[in-house]
């Protein structure tokens, strides 16, 4: 994933599978994951990387166990570890083994195992960052995730698969065709009747629909504005505009953000080669272009009106005031953007004086919100230590300033060891050169 590809700019509407699993965790699983995380923290506080590796290997071994509860605890511990630490050095040579077990559990595991395995695959890709390893993760996981989205199992599995597919495509895709393949699979969840192999037309429930729209918008942030043809985008934009009138507020918010991005990418604008022309020899072509132009202008006006109405929506008895205020605020910003072109801005202090994450476009805002929701409590740690996020958001981090007292001691100790090794090597080479000179003179 290069900067030129990401272009920067989802809010994870509808809640992820990890949110849905929180309420269903039993006491033993929570205690086990807490203990496992403590073990990893203890290992990290030592100077021996092998201690951390031993703890991770123990989790990996447990993924092979026949007892489902043992596998679930191991998956939960690995998810916790991937959230809490950027374990790049420890998983670079283990990701193939991890991926094999995760995909196997997606095929054969319980609902909870499938949800955890999907999340673990996404976190593994984020840990490894853009490159051949993440592309391999995408290639290997894609068929299993598509199978879930095409067979429509329960909602937690669907939402977990959507999150995973969006993340691994965002990190691992190397060309537009790969991204479009994932976007098509997600769109078939949003608007099922457009799918090629749908026997019975299904209708996604609000949490699933909101999650799918957010995942689709997240991947749309990687499609540059030059990659457009107005007629191609007309159908999805029209359907998204209809979701602004949905009963569920999360669906309306997800659709609003996706449409703001469409405006920012100018997907509703008729490009120069599509603009109406006056030519007696090409009257039919001119007519179709005029029709497209007028159609998109009408669609823009409709969306602008709906956005304004949502920014002014009255509460009513029993309304959730916080969510209502969030909706008003979002749609007010979208309305202002449509009128003036002024993009939203947001700043988050990651660490120290200069460790600031800034976003100033809908693309960046959507990417930030989606990654922040997906990483959950691990977002700050990854924003501080993960080069993938540094690249996406141009974050400059002073790593030493951001370290704990124990980490600084280990870092300084390693620096001193490195300097000592370098000096010893230089002395050895000097002695060898001196000996070679003596051998030549007296040999």
């Amino acid at each position: 994933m290069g900067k030129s590809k990401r272009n920067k700019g989802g809010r994870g509407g509808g809640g992820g599978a990890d949110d849905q699993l929180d309420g269903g965790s039993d006491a033993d699983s929570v205690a086990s994951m807490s203990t496992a995380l403590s073990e990893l923290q203890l290992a990290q506080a030592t100077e021996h990387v092998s201690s951390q590796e031993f703890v991770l290997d123990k989790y990996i071994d447990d993924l092979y166990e026949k007892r489902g509860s043992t596998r679930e605890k191991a998956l939960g511990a690995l998810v916790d570890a991937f959230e809490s630490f950027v374990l790049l050095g420890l998983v670079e040579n283990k990701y193939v083994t991890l991926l094999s077990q995760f995909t196997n559990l997606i095929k054969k595991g319980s609902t909870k195992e499938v949800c955890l395995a999907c999340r673990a695959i996404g976190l593994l890709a984020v840990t490894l960052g853009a490159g051949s390893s993440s592309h391999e993760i995408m290639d290997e996981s894609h068929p299993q995730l598509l199978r879930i989205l095409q067979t429509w199992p329960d909602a937690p599995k669907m939402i977990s698969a959507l999150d995973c597919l969006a993340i691994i495509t965002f990190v691992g895709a190397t060309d537009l065709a790969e991204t479009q393949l994932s976007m098509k699979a997600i769109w078939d969840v949003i608007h099922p009747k457009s799918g090629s192999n749908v026997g019975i037309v299904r209708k996604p429930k609000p949490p699933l629909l909101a999650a799918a729209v957010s995942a689709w918008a997240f991947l749309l942030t990687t499609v540059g504005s030059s990659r457009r043809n107005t007629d191609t985008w007309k159908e999805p934009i029209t359907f998204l505009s209809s979701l602004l009138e949905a009963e569920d507020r999360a669906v309306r918010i997800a659709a609003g953000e996706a449409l703001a991005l469409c405006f920012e990418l100018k997907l509703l604008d008729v490009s120069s080669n599509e603009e109406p022309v006056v030519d007696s020899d090409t009257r039919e072509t001119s007519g179709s272009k005029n029709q497209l132009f007028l159609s998109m202008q009408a669609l823009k006006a409709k969306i602008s009106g709906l956005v304004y109405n949502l920014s002014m929506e009255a509460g009513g008895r029993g309304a959730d005031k916080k969510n209502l205020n969030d909706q008003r605020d979002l749609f007010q910003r979208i309305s202002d953007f449509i009128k003036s072109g002024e993009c939203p801005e947001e700043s988050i202090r990651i660490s120290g004086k200069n460790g600031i994450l800034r976003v100033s476009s809908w693309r960046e805002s959507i990417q930030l919100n989606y990654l922040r929701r997906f990483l959950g409590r691990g977002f700050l740690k990854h924003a501080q230590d993960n080069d993938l996020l540094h690249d996406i958001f141009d974050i400059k981090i002073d790593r030493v300033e951001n370290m704990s007292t124990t980490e600084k001691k280990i870092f300084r100790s390693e620096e001193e060891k490195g300097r000592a090794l370098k000096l010893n090597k230089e002395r050895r080479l000097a002695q060898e050169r001196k000996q070679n000179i003596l051998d030549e003179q007296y040999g």
Side-chain angles (χ1 to χ4, degrees), residues 22-189:
D22 287 345
S25 300
D26 57 40
D28 291 339
S29 294
V30 172
S32 174
M33 282 188 272
S34 177
T35 302
L37 191 56
S38 298
E39 290 175 352
L40 196 64
Q41 288 170 330
L42 181 63
Q44 193 195 43
T46 72
E47 294 186 36
H48 303 290
V49 175
S50 58
S51 299
Q52 287 179 300
E53 192 165 12
F54 173 79
V55 175
L56 283 177
D57 284 342
K58 186 170 68 174
Y59 302 159
I60 295 171
D61 288 343
D62 285 347
L63 296 179
Y64 292 88
E65 290 293 325
K66 290 184 178 180
R67 188 186 294 270
S69 59
T70 302
R71 296 194 303 269
E72 284 180 11
K73 290 174 184 178
L75 278 168
L78 284 165
V79 165
D80 265 2
F82 284 136
E83 286 178 354
S84 304
F85 309 101
V86 181
L87 301 172
L88 178 60
L90 295 178
V91 301
E92 279 181 310
N93 297 322
K94 299 177 185 291
Y95 80 90
V96 174
T97 300
L98 285 164
L99 180 60
S100 174
Q101 284 305 105
F102 294 157
T103 53
N104 188 52
L105 290 174
I106 289 177
K107 291 179 191 176
K108 302 176 181 179
S110 63
T111 294
K112 188 171 183 179
E113 285 177 279
V114 171
C115 294
L116 285 169
C118 285
R119 181 156 178 74
I121 289 173
L123 289 167
L124 182 61
V126 171
T127 299
L128 291 168
S132 58
S133 299
S134 289
H135 189 264
E136 185 178 349
I137 288 174
M138 185 188 70
D139 278 347
E140 292 297 319
S141 307
H142 210 268
Q144 297 307 319
L145 298 173
L146 289 187
R147 180 180 59 82
I148 291 176
L149 298 182
Q150 289 167 358
T151 56
W152 283 66
D154 50 69
K157 283 185 183 179
M158 291 281 287
I159 293 173
S160 296
L162 286 167
D163 278 346
C164 184
L165 181 61
I167 289 291
I168 63 174
T169 304
F170 181 85
V171 179
T174 56
D175 59 42
L176 182 63
E178 291 175 335
T179 300
Q180 288 177 323
L181 184 63
S182 293
M183 290 182 71
K184 175 63 168 60
I186 295 169
W187 188 258
D188 286 345
V189 175

Side-chain angles (χ1 to χ4, degrees), residues 245-311:
E245 300 178 276
E247 292 184 10
D248 186 81
R249 182 167 283 125
V251 172
R252 296 197 297 269
I253 287 174
E257 289 183 321
L259 287 166
L261 178 61
C262 290
F263 271 89
E264 184 173 81
L265 293 175
K266 302 187 184 302
L267 300 181
L268 290 91
D269 293 353
V270 178
S271 62
S272 58
N273 65 342
E274 294 171 325
E275 288 178 0
V277 295
V278 180
D279 188 332
S280 58
D281 295 329
T282 57
R283 186 172 301 169
E284 184 177 345
T285 302
S286 176
S288 64
K289 289 177 180 177
N290 274 303
Q291 186 178 7
L292 175 62
F293 176 78
L294 293 172
S295 175
M296 296 309 285
Q297 289 297 103
L299 185 55
K300 277 179 161 182
K302 176 188 175 183
I303 293 170
S304 297
L306 289 170
V307 165
Y308 176 77
N309 290 340
L310 288 169
S311 73

